[in-house]
Amino acid sequence: MSGRVVGVDMGGETARVIVGRLRKGAFEIEDGAVVGAEDVGVALAGMGAKGAALYVGVTGKDMILRTTQVPPVPEWQLAELMQFEIDDVEEQSGDSLSADWGLLGGAAAFSDDDMALLALVRNSLIDERTDDLAADGFKVKAFTPNAVALHNACVATDGGEGTVMVAFLGGRNTDIALVRDGELLFARNLSGGGDLFTDAIASSFKVDTAKAEAVKKKIGVLARPGEALAGQQGAVARALEGGLRQVTGMLQSSLLLCRTQLKARDIALDRVLLCGPGASLPGLDEALTRTLDVPVERFDPCAGYVVGDAEILEQRGPDFAVAAGLAMMGALPGAERFEILSDAARRGRRLREKTLWLVLAGVLVVAYLGLYAWSAREGYNVARADLVKLRREVESRQADVRGYERATVEVAALASKLDRIEQATAPGSGVVTVLSLLGELLPEELWVTSARTVREIDADFGHGTERRPLVIIEGRGKELSRNLADAVTELTMALRARPAVAAVVPKFTTDSRGDFVFELRLDMSLFPDEPGDDDEDDVGADDAAEGEA
C-alpha cells in the first residue's frame, strides 16, 4: 500500500478528486483536481495514486438514506434489525441493494432509544463504477454517502461545536449533515442544487440552460439589502431570488425533519457551513444569513491542508468538501465510517475477517488431532470425542434453523391476519385518527370543510393494483402571518411524522373566487408501501411546485 487515500466526489459529468495521506499524525492533501466522470482512473494514474485506498461518494437518486429509531441492543442484534430493514426496502424497490448503517451519536441527547442511519445503494451502480475503475487498475475500498463525508470534513477541520448544518450544493443534488458537538445528528440528500439558480435565469429570460449557466457565472450575484443593481445584472439578481427561496426551503425543511424525527422541537442552528460548486454564487452566504437568521459562511476543508502540487484553485476549496471528507474518513482514526461494499468486496472482507481464520483454525485442529492419533491412542480417543461433540453442535444448530423457518411461516400467517383486520377496520378508524390528529396539528390559518374515506388505487402512493384505505380532507385557509402554502407544508410534515399515517399527498390552489383551498390525501394503511428512489420526506420543493401547478 502507498499510504495514500483517495476521495472521489462523482458527479454526473465531472468528478472532484482529492489525494491525501496521514503524515506524522496530520492529514495532508497531496493533489486535487476536477476531471471528467469517465476519466477518473486515468487522472488518478497521472497523480501517481496506484495502490491508494479509494473511497467513492454517492448521492441523489442512486441512494436511499433512512433514519430509523431502534432500541438499545447489542451490535449483533442491531445488525439483524438493520438487515430486516434492508430486505424490506429491497423487496419494495425490486432492486438488489448494498447497505451500511451506523448509530447517530448526536441523537443520544434527545431520546432513550437509539437513532440509526441506514444508507442503501443499488448494486448495479456499485458494480458499474467498480468495474470502470478496475479497468484502469484501481480497486474501490468502499462507497460512502456524501453527507457522511461532509460530517467528517466538518469535525476534522472545524470541530463542529454547537449545532452546525453543513450544506453541499452540487449541480443537481444537495447533501446535508447536521453536526452537534462533533457528533452526527442527522443526514439527508435532496434533488436540486446550483442548477436551481440556473433554471431560475432560464425561466425568467426564456433561454436554454447552457446560456443561463453562462449568464450566471458571468454576472450572477445576489444583491445586499438596499443595494440597487442596475441594468442586466439587476434583472439577473431579481431572477436569482427564486432559486434562493428554493434553497432556503430545502435547508429549513431539513432542520424541521430532523426535529420531527428526533421529537426535539427545541433544536436550533448555531451556524451553517456552505460549500459545493453550486454555492459559489456571489452573495449567497449573506443572503442565506438573512433568510435563515443564523450565520452562514463558506466552508473550505482544504484550507491549510494542501501540500506539494495539488491543483486546487484559490477560492475553490469549498467545491472539494465531499472529496476531502471521503479522504479524511479513510485516513483519520476515529472518523465516522460508512462503507458500502460491492458483492465481491463484501465476500473478500468476509473471507479475510471470518472464513480464512476458520479455515486456518480447522487446519491447526486437524494437525493437532493427527499428531495425537500418531503419538498415543489416548489422544486419538480424545479426538473422536471432540468430533462427536462437534457433530452434536451442528445438529443443534440445524434444529435452530428449522425452528427459525417455522417461526417465519407463523409470522407470515399473522401478517395475513393483520392485513384482513385492516381491510375491515381501516376506513372508519382512519377517519377518527385523522380528525384527532387535525385537532392537534391544524395550523390556525387553515380550517377543514370536509372529510371522507375511500378505498381505491392511487398512483400518487405507488399502490400498483392494490386498493388502499384513503382519507381525503378538504379545507380552506386565510393568510395571517405567513404564506398559506407553508402552513400546508408544515401540516403535511407533522402528519407524516405520526406512525399512524402511512403517507400524505397534499394539493393546494386558489379557486375561481380567489379563495385558498387545499386537499390532503392520507394513506392509513397498516402496511404502507415503501418509497422508491425519491425520499418521501423531500416535501419542501416538491409540494411548492405542486401548489403552483
Side-chain angles (χ1 to χ4, degrees):
M1 292 293 290
S2 66
R4 291 187 175 93
V5 179
V6 176
V8 180
D9 175 14
M10 188 73 73
E13 299 177 356
T14 61
R16 287 171 174 78
V17 178
I18 288 289
V19 180
R21 67 185 305 168
L22 196 63
R23 183 180 179 87
K24 296 181 180 181
F27 181 74
E28 295 180 347
I29 296 176
E30 295 184 342
D31 211 342
V34 180
V35 300
E38 298 180 355
D39 302 323
V40 173
V42 175
L44 289 175
M47 295 177 181
K50 286 285 187 180
L54 187 62
Y55 292 87
V56 179
V58 284
T59 185
K61 294 185 177 181
D62 297 322
M63 176 185 64
I64 299 174
L65 276 180
R66 299 183 65 176
T67 302
T68 304
Q69 187 173 12
V70 295
V73 294
E75 184 175 347
W76 66 268
Q77 195 170 1
L78 175 63
E80 290 187 352
L81 291 174
M82 292 297 100
Q83 189 60 50
F84 286 141
E85 289 276 343
I86 294 167
D87 292 343
D88 186 41
V89 176
E90 194 170 51
E91 181 179 355
Q92 295 292 335
S93 66
D95 280 329
S96 176
L97 303 174
S98 291
D100 196 12
W101 61 86
L103 296 179
L104 296 173
F110 302 100
S111 175
D112 293 333
D113 287 337
D114 291 329
M115 299 297 293
L117 179 65
L118 175 62
L120 306 101
V121 181
R122 291 184 292 105
N123 279 334
S124 57
L125 173 78
I126 291 178
D127 293 340
E128 177 185 349
R129 292 186 175 173
T130 299
D131 293 343
D132 288 345
L133 289 165
D136 294 315
F138 289 91
K139 182 178 180 181
V140 177
K141 181 77 172 178
F143 293 82
T144 298
N146 284 3
V148 175
L150 292 176
H151 165 263
N152 286 317
C154 173
V155 173
T157 62
D158 175 85
E161 295 182 1
T163 302
V164 184
M165 175 182 285
V166 190
F168 184 94
L169 272 66
R172 302 171 185 171
N173 300 287
T174 294
D175 293 281
I176 292 175
L178 273 171
V179 183
R180 183 180 177 88
D181 294 330
E183 297 281 355
L184 184 59
L185 179 65
F186 182 73
R188 191 186 189 194
N189 67 313
L190 307 93
S191 60
D195 287 351
L196 294 173
F197 295 105
T198 303
D199 294 342
I201 294 175
S203 176
S204 295
F205 293 95
K206 310 301 181 186
V207 296
D208 59 34
T209 302
K211 176 68 173 179
E213 181 69 17
V215 170
K216 182 182 73 173
K217 290 181 177 179
K218 184 176 181 180
I219 62 174
V221 62
L222 288 166
R224 296 182 177 88
E227 182 181 14
L229 299 176
Q232 192 175 27
Q233 189 175 43
V236 171
R238 288 188 292 274
L240 291 173
E241 291 292 334
L244 174 63
R245 287 191 294 271
Q246 290 179 279
V247 171
T248 301
M250 289 194 300
L251 303 186
Q252 289 174 331
S253 69
S254 297
L255 177 61
L256 178 60
L257 181 58
C258 175
R259 290 170 175 168
T260 301
Q261 292 192 341
L262 298 181
K263 297 180 176 61
R265 297 186 178 277
D266 58 342
I267 295 177
L269 293 178
D270 294 312
R271 52 202 173 98
V272 175
L273 300 181
L274 194 63
C275 52
S280 60
L281 184 66
L284 178 59
D285 49 351
E286 296 179 6
L288 287 175
T289 296
R290 295 191 301 272
T291 57
L292 297 175
D293 199 26
V294 293
V296 179
E297 58 190 79
R298 296 273 288 166
F299 175 49
D300 182 1
C302 301
Y305 293 88
V306 180
V307 298
D309 300 324
E311 298 179 5
I312 299 177
L313 299 177
E314 186 177 0
Q315 304 300 322
R316 303 305 298 182
D319 296 0
F320 289 83
V322 167
L326 292 167
M328 291 172 179
M329 183 192 74
L332 297 175
E336 186 82 29
R337 292 186 177 274
F338 269 63
E339 298 185 347
I340 304 172
L341 307 175
S342 65
D343 287 340
R346 191 183 302 109
R347 289 193 297 269
R349 175 173 289 188
R350 187 181 299 117
L351 175 64
R352 291 191 302 272
E353 294 180 352
K354 295 182 179 180
T355 309
L356 182 60
W357 291 108
L358 290 175
V359 171
L360 292 176
V363 171
L364 291 175
V365 169
V366 171
Y368 178 76
L369 294 177
L371 177 62
Y372 259 69
W374 174 78
S375 63
R377 182 69 179 177
E378 182 179 356
Y380 175 75
N381 291 335
V382 171
R384 291 192 62 182
D386 288 343
L387 181 59
V388 170
K389 182 179 178 180
L390 288 173
R391 284 176 176 171
R392 288 174 179 171
E393 185 175 349
V394 169
E395 291 173 356
S396 176
R397 296 293 175 86
Q398 289 175 341
D400 291 341
V401 170
R402 289 193 294 271
Y404 174 80
E405 291 173 347
R406 287 194 298 271
T408 301
V409 172
E410 293 173 359
V411 168
L414 290 174
S416 178
K417 291 180 180 179
L418 283 175
D419 186 58
R420 291 196 296 272
I421 292 172
E422 182 214 34
Q423 296 295 323
T425 64
S429 64
V431 172
V432 173
T433 300
V434 170
L435 292 178
S436 177
L437 290 175
L438 289 175
E440 177 186 351
L441 303 174
L442 190 67
E444 61 179 345
E445 298 97 330
L446 306 176
W447 64 89
V448 174
T449 59
S450 69
R452 67 183 188 276
T453 179
V454 297
R455 183 179 291 277
E456 62 182 31
I457 299 171
D458 195 319
D460 288 339
F461 296 107
H463 291 162
T465 59
E466 183 179 357
R467 295 169 65 86
R468 293 278 189 170
L470 306 180
V471 175
I472 301 176
I473 299 297
E474 296 178 339
R476 296 179 176 272
K478 181 175 182 181
E479 188 166 312
L480 298 177
S481 59
R482 58 174 172 173
N483 188 286
L484 291 175
D486 293 339
V488 175
T489 299
E490 176 187 329
L491 177 58
T492 302
M493 295 287 293
L495 288 171
R496 285 179 177 172
R498 295 305 176 96
V501 180
V504 182
V505 174
K507 296 181 181 179
F508 48 85
T509 185
T510 302
D511 62 17
S512 59
R513 297 179 300 177
D515 294 333
F516 178 89
V517 295
F518 69 92
E519 177 187 277
L520 300 177
R521 299 175 68 85
L522 298 95
D523 184 351
M524 304 303 293
S525 305
L526 291 176
F527 305 102
D529 293 332
E530 292 291 348
D533 290 334
D534 292 328
D535 189 337
E536 74 271 25
D537 294 322
D538 298 344
V539 304
D542 294 341
D543 289 351
E546 186 174 1
E548 293 170 1

